[in-house]
Every structure is written in C-alpha cells, then in structure tokens.
Amino acid sequence: MMEEWVKRGMLVILILSILSPIGIILTWNCGDAWGEWEKVKVGNETWEPQSYTSAPFPDYSIPGWNSMLLASISYIISAFIGVSMCFLVVMGIAKTVEMMRE
Amino acid sequence: MHIPDGYLGPITCVVMFIIMLPVWWYAAKWAKERLSSRAIPMLAMLSSFSFVVMMFNWPVPDGTTAHMVGGTLIAIILGPWAAVIGVSVALMIQAFFFGDGGITAFGANAFNMAFVLPFAGYLMYRALLKFFNSDDVRARAIAAGVAAYIAINVAALAAAIEFGVQPYIAKGYCPYGIEVAVPAMLFAHLTTAGPVAAVVTAGVVAYIYKYRPDLMEVK
C-alpha cells in the first residue's frame, strides 16, 4: 500500500523526469561538459580518454537518435528507466537487509 | 562531476575502491541496525530523486556544466549513512547503464558524491543549527541550503584533485594538472550547481519539516 506522501514525491520525480532534457537543450551547442569531454587538445597533442566498456544507453541517449527532439525523448525514457531502477534497487537492498535482521 | 573511464590511472582507481569498501560495509551494517522500515520508501524515493536531479546539467559561460547531487538532502532527512546507500545506487546505475561516470572510476565517484558530499553537508548542517541555536523551520532551511552549497563544492574539489594529480602520477590519463582542474571544477560548482543545490535542498527540507516532521529520521 503506497502512502499518500510517497505518491506525491514520485509525482514530483515524474515531473522532473519529463523536464530533464532542459539541461541538454540548453547545452546543445556548447559541447560536452568540462571534465566529461571526449577529446581535447593539450598543447599540440590530442588526448582522448580510453574507454573500457559500453553502456546500453550512453549519455542517456538511444544510439542513433541524434536530433534534438529524439535526444530529448531518449533522455526522458532514460530518466524513467533510471528512476525506476533506483527505486527498485534501494527497496531490494532494504528488503535483503530486513531479511538478514530476522 | 562524474569522472569517466580513462581519466584516473589504475592506482587511483584501486585506491578509491579500497577506501569505499569499508564505507559501503558500514553503511550496510547501519541499514541493518538502524534503518526503520518506515524510512525505506523514503530512501528509495530520495535515491530516485538524486538520479533525476543529476540528469540536469546546467550550462556555465565557458562551456562547462555541473549538476546537483541531492546527497546533502538525503543526509539531512535520513542521516549520512542512508545517503551513502541512496547516492551509491544512483551512481552505480548511471555508470553501468548510461555510461555517466566510468565503471573504473566508480570508487572515486562514490567517494566524492556518496561519501564526502553527504558527510560534509550533514556535519555543516548540524554545526549551523547549533550556531543558530534554533531549530525552527527557517533556521533549518537556511542551514540546509548553506550546507548543500558547501558540500557540493567540497565534493567538486575532491574530484578535481583526483584527476588533477594524474599528470604527475599516471601518464596517458587526465592531462590537466591541479592548476587547471581545481579552478574549472570550483568555478562551475560555486556559480551554478552550488546555488541550485542550496535552493532545492532548503526548499525540500523546509517542506518536509513543516508538513511531515515525523518522516525525518534525524531530528
């Protein structure tokens, strides 16, 4: 049974998820964040961080969805997936811990 | 503030994981002994909240972006050990599914955002309430806002130091030294992510304290 305040809180998170592309739309033409860049020039050399793994939704995007609209939609989908996963994983940890207590 | 793969040398990555292992172990022990079942949905919700607020990247003049974390908020409502769990889960999902923050840098990112940040925020909040000698809703909101502002900057400084030392200890990883890394990270967080974190944290703490003080574990 979900309590009223949990519902209200989840509604706020839902609204934030829908608004989440605001950040990427505002930075659309500014490139990636410093400290999160792909390739940079240092003096005369180009440095690129090594990458070891590939995530299913890199940078909250669906591969191939490159326009601003599709990127925003994939950002919202990513937010829904991420939010539900966080909720479920924390509930899972808490239930495991509760079982260990008994 | 998420450090990607390839920025930190292997030694730094390993050291950060080694530091985090006892922290996670103690957080689990704390949850087993102290986390009330009433607080569990609250923690799950705040972890989701932390995930979604980290998706808001705000632009700053030189093309830098930063974001709030929500670690101080969780620490104030449920205690700093709960924040370790809530933020670590959000960071883990970001690293594994969305490539935000490297998997090899997960120890370092968790150290900065799920350990340093909530503890800095929590200690600052407690110190400020003591200093104000009051715990009405206004004092709590101000203390929460200031604590969140300071905590995110302390965490950004920690991240900047971690990748800023790489040119001296690990060639081929982050090429920028401390003198570039620290000002760039602090500028972004002092001017944008800090104020956002302060306003959101103060607002949520005031709201919860005013309407549902019973939901706050830390009185």
Side-chain angles (χ1 to χ4, degrees):
Chain A
M1 201 35 218
M2 287 264 254
E3 287 176 64
E4 195 53 42
W5 64 268
V6 181
K7 276 189 212 154
R8 215 177 300 161
M10 290 315 280
L11 183 69
V12 171
I13 290 168
L14 190 79
I15 293 168
L16 286 174
S17 303
I18 294 167
L19 294 177
S20 66
I22 288 176
I24 57 158
I25 291 168
L26 288 175
T27 50
W28 193 255
N29 295 316
C30 303
D32 273 335
W34 194 95
E36 286 166 37
W37 11 237
E38 325 250 87
K39 209 186 264 181
V40 287
K41 261 199 140 66
V42 187
N44 294 323
E45 282 173 57
T46 308
W47 174 80
E48 202 181 348
Q50 305 161 38
S51 157
Y52 314 111
T53 47
S54 57
F57 305 102
D59 293 330
Y60 311 99
S61 61
I62 293 167
W65 289 26
N66 297 324
S67 71
M68 199 191 269
L69 176 70
L70 287 176
S72 302
I73 293 170
S74 61
Y75 215 69
I76 295 171
I77 295 171
S78 296
F80 287 155
I81 296 173
V83 159
S84 339
M85 283 173 73
C86 278
F87 198 89
L88 293 176
V89 170
V90 172
M91 291 303 273
I93 291 174
K95 292 286 168 223
T96 313
V97 155
E98 264 190 343
M99 271 157 55
M100 279 160 62
R101 205 182 287 164
E102 279 149 21
Chain B
M1 206 193 294
H2 293 56
I3 304 172
D5 278 329
Y7 277 59
L8 302 178
I11 297 170
T12 316
C13 292
V14 170
V15 168
M16 299 318 278
F17 271 107
I18 291 173
I19 295 172
M20 281 313 287
L21 285 177
V23 175
W24 284 323
W25 176 81
Y26 191 84
K29 188 169 172 281
W30 173 88
K32 194 177 154 195
E33 286 161 11
R34 308 276 299 276
L35 185 67
S36 70
S37 32
R38 209 167 42 108
I40 292 169
M42 180 66 124
L43 180 57
M45 200 169 83
L46 287 171
S47 177
S48 308
F49 182 75
S50 171
F51 182 95
V52 77
V53 295
M54 284 194 265
M55 290 184 72
F56 285 83
N57 282 280
W58 309 92
V60 287
D62 62 356
T64 313
T65 67
H67 56 77
M68 73 168 282
V69 175
T72 304
L73 179 66
I74 307 181
I76 290 172
I77 297 173
L78 299 176
W81 292 107
V84 171
I85 300 171
V87 180
S88 293
V89 167
L91 290 175
M92 187 180 73
I93 290 164
Q94 288 172 334
F96 281 89
F97 292 90
F98 302 102
D100 192 9
I103 290 170
T104 54
F106 176 58
N109 285 325
F111 175 80
N112 302 330
M113 288 179 270
F115 179 55
V116 170
L117 190 152
F119 273 90
Y122 180 74
L123 295 174
M124 194 67 211
Y125 175 75
R126 300 303 295 252
L128 281 170
L129 282 188
K130 210 169 209 177
F131 174 74
F132 293 153
N133 198 18
S134 151
D135 64 351
D136 62 4
V137 70
R138 215 185 57 175
R140 280 177 187 265
I142 294 169
V146 173
Y149 184 83
I150 290 172
I152 196 159
N153 282 290
V154 171
L157 179 64
I161 292 171
E162 285 151 26
F163 56 75
V165 298
Q166 298 307 316
Y168 316 110
I169 61 168
K171 287 269 169 277
Y173 294 93
C174 177
Y176 292 115
I178 295 274
E179 73 289 351
V180 179
V182 170
M185 286 296 280
L186 283 188
F187 177 73
H189 289 84
L190 287 168
T191 55
T192 61
V196 171
V199 171
V200 173
T201 307
V204 177
V205 168
Y207 180 84
I208 295 180
Y209 186 69
K210 196 161 179 189
Y211 295 101
R212 294 300 302 269
D214 55 305
L215 296 177
M216 291 179 92
E217 291 291 299
V218 179
K219 298 289 183 264

